[in-house]
Amino acid sequence: MSLSRQSNAASNPGLASALKTARAAYLERNPKSHAAYTKATESLPGGGTRTTLVVDPFPLMIDSGRGSTITDLDGHTYKDFLSDYTSGIYGKSNPVLLDAIRSALDQGLQFGAHTAHEGRFAAGLVSRFPSMELVRFANSGTEANMLALTAALKHTGRNKVVVFDGAYHGSLLCHFHSGDKGTPEGVVRAPFDFVIAPYNDISGTKALLDPIKADVGAIIVEPMLGAGGCIPAEPEFLRELRGYATEIGAVLIFDEVQTSRLSPGGRQALLGITPDMTTIGKFFGGGFAFGAFGGKREIMEMFDIRKPGAISHGGTFNNSPLTMVAGATALEHLLTREALERLNNLGDYMRDTLNRDLKASGVPFHVKGLGSINQLYCTLPEQDRDAAMEVLFFKLLEKGYWVAQRGTLALNFENNPEEVDGFVSAVVDAAGMVAAVAASTA
Ligand SMILES: Cc1ncc(COP(=O)(O)O)c(C=O)c1O
């Protein structure tokens, strides 16, 4: 298996031809994006700097965004149903957020010092997540996870980190796969001593870990596999994992970088399960680069530099005043219980409606997920799935909808029920076309 983004080849001739036609139409529709991308390849390997966004033959270049709409360099507009892979929860131009950011800009940039907003933001987070008695900030979810793992290993004096099959914990931790799939070619991973356990399988996990339990310092788990396909953890699995981590003396970390948008206190609050540490990131930065890790006082106090032997944790932008103001403002004014409930109910409605209508149309697609975080799946034979998803992606762009080519769907506060209905019709229509093409030569 390779992570590199080479052209998808369908074994189904109808799909192969539809893909060729769709790519050619895309090229013709988007000359300015194509030119900007071609220029970018002169200085950026592969023409970009975020592998997730790669599109064959080239990605679109976005010029601006308002509300739930983005506009590309060639002037096409798209309703955003990706929301920057869950991170763009506020839409593109929330006035409360933009005003706060503008006034922070007016205060000046980069003081190389603390501001009162740092403690204000931390207090807001700590009050929402009982599992974070103390919290520290970083610049990404990846960094937050690496710092949390480091803290857990130091706290326990052990060396093994347990992750789960299908998990994604950030760029330097990457996707974990056990069994036949193995480690994808191209994965470069921070050198922790990882053990990959089966997700949603507590007896398999215990059987794997029991013989090495004295060495297990950290168990990190997503309450729903996000990039791994929006597969929710069974509540009972997480509950038993909680108990098992305590039993073997390991630090249990919930990576809620994505799932923290499911309620004011993340999925852990919905399930009433308290891990020893929690990591978050993405939208909590109010539109800026952000990550945070927090946990039990006795673990996090290792970072208290007033104490002998404390862990040093630098980072030029850990407390960037702009991020602190944007994050605190979003937490206090935008990420309310009502707003999150409305968003996640809309996501449930979208998933249910899509699944109902896709099923009624008899097309080989369905959706999995929780609340506002979802994943579109194709159930054609495996060798044709990537090509089918790619044709679907191009069709949705033509219809004015922005999603991830891999099928990630995430809502933002600016999406409304009418938009969702329009999106559902567009997906069902595009899926029907893909299915018809595939069936014509299958
Ligand atoms: C569950 C999870 N953890 C960690 C990360 C990494 O966050 P970042 O991209 O900010 O490094 C992601 C990013 O998608 C994620 O989904």
Side-chain angles (χ1 to χ4, degrees), residues 140-143 145 168-171 222 227 255 257-258 282 290:
S140 67
T142 307
E143 228 189 279
N145 280 333
Y168 180 76
H169 296 294
S171 63
E222 288 170 89
D255 175 347
V257 168
Q258 287 205 14
K282 294 203 184 276
F290 182 68

Side-chain angles (χ1 to χ4, degrees), residues 350-432:
M350 180 180 82
R351 185 175 54 261
D352 292 347
T353 316
L354 269 171
N355 279 333
R356 184 197 64 197
D357 293 358
L358 288 167
K359 193 169 174 202
S361 311
V363 292
F365 289 89
H366 66 264
V367 181
K368 285 188 189 167
L370 285 175
S372 58
I373 317 171
N374 293 290
Q375 169 80 33
L376 192 61
Y377 279 87
C378 174
T379 52
L380 282 173
E382 191 162 0
Q383 68 274 17
D384 291 327
R385 281 181 202 161
D386 286 348
M389 289 300 290
E390 196 175 339
V391 177
L392 185 85
F393 167 74
F394 287 124
K395 293 272 170 229
L396 287 174
L397 286 181
E398 279 170 25
K399 289 170 180 287
Y401 292 100
W402 188 252
V403 299
Q405 190 170 310
R406 72 179 191 215
T408 310
L409 310 173
L411 297 184
N412 61 75
F413 290 149
E414 298 285 339
N415 292 131
N416 59 46
E418 295 72 43
E419 268 178 25
V420 168
D421 287 340
F423 177 67
V424 169
S425 304
V427 172
V428 173
D429 189 48

Side-chain angles (χ1 to χ4, degrees), residues 226-275:
C230 291
I231 299 171
E234 299 295 339
E236 212 35 49
F237 169 69
L238 291 179
R239 240 182 283 287
E240 294 223 18
L241 196 61
R242 166 65 289 181
Y244 184 66
T246 306
E247 188 187 312
I248 67 170
V251 173
L252 180 65
I253 305 168
F254 275 13
D255 175 347
E256 294 236 37
V257 168
Q258 287 205 14
T259 51
S260 49
R261 56 153 51 209
L262 294 175
S263 91
R267 191 157 190 235
Q268 58 191 264
L270 292 174
L271 299 177
I273 302 171
T274 310

Side-chain angles (χ1 to χ4, degrees), residues 74-360:
D74 291 281
H76 310 116
T77 58
Y78 305 92
K79 285 284 170 201
D80 185 11
F81 278 79
L82 175 56
S83 306
D84 199 2
Y85 295 81
T86 72
S87 148
I89 199 170
Y90 312 107
K92 314 296 158 216
S93 52
N94 183 283
V96 174
L97 198 51
L98 291 192
D99 281 354
I101 294 166
R102 284 193 190 104
S103 42
L105 279 173
D106 288 342
Q107 295 295 111
L109 293 174
Q110 295 206 255
F111 310 132
H114 296 285
T115 64
H117 300 294
E118 197 173 333
R120 169 186 160 211
F121 187 18
L125 289 172
V126 163
S127 73
R128 284 193 177 208
F129 290 88
S131 61
M132 296 208 247
E133 289 175 343
L134 295 169
V135 64
R136 283 185 77 96
F137 299 142
N139 298 280
S140 67
T142 307
E143 228 189 279
N145 280 333
M146 291 179 56
L147 285 155
L149 292 177
T150 306
L153 296 185
K154 182 157 166 68
H155 178 71
T156 54
R158 300 175 178 183
N159 67 324
K160 289 203 187 298
V161 170
V162 176
V163 294
F164 288 90
D165 194 12
Y168 180 76
H169 296 294
S171 63
L172 279 168
L173 296 164
C174 222
H175 291 270
F176 292 93
H177 295 290
S178 62
D180 295 345
K181 288 185 186 162
T183 302
E185 194 187 307
V187 164
V188 179
R189 192 170 275 154
F192 290 96
D193 186 355
F194 290 110
V195 179
I196 306 178
Y199 196 66
N200 274 339
D201 174 359
I202 195 67
S203 45
T205 296
K206 286 183 183 176
L208 183 72
L209 301 187
D210 274 346
I212 52 164
K213 62 186 177 192
D215 296 326
V216 174
I219 302 177
I220 183 165
V221 65
E222 288 170 89
M224 169 169 76
L225 295 180
C230 291
I231 299 171
E234 299 295 339
E236 212 35 49
F237 169 69
L238 291 179
R239 240 182 283 287
E240 294 223 18
L241 196 61
R242 166 65 289 181
Y244 184 66
T246 306
E247 188 187 312
I248 67 170
V251 173
L252 180 65
I253 305 168
F254 275 13
D255 175 347
E256 294 236 37
V257 168
Q258 287 205 14
T259 51
S260 49
R261 56 153 51 209
L262 294 175
S263 91
R267 191 157 190 235
Q268 58 191 264
L270 292 174
L271 299 177
I273 302 171
T274 310
D276 303 306
M277 299 190 80
T278 296
T279 58
I280 55 172
K282 294 203 184 276
F283 60 92
F284 275 116
F288 294 98
F290 182 68
F293 62 106
K296 285 187 166 160
R297 184 170 293 277
E298 73 227 46
I299 302 173
M300 291 305 292
E301 275 182 342
M302 292 190 305
F303 292 91
D304 185 341
I305 212 66
R306 298 167 301 185
K307 300 200 163 148
I311 303 176
S312 163
H313 166 218
T316 304
F317 284 96
N318 285 354
N319 64 345
S320 158
L322 277 183
T323 315
M324 298 296 107
V325 168
T329 304
L331 196 65
E332 291 159 6
H333 301 286
L334 306 179
L335 294 167
T336 61
R337 180 171 299 281
E338 300 70 42
L340 288 169
E341 252 172 41
R342 193 196 73 82
L343 183 76
N344 288 302
N345 287 342
L346 192 59
D348 287 339
Y349 167 75
M350 180 180 82
R351 185 175 54 261
D352 292 347
T353 316
L354 269 171
N355 279 333
R356 184 197 64 197
D357 293 358
L358 288 167
K359 193 169 174 202

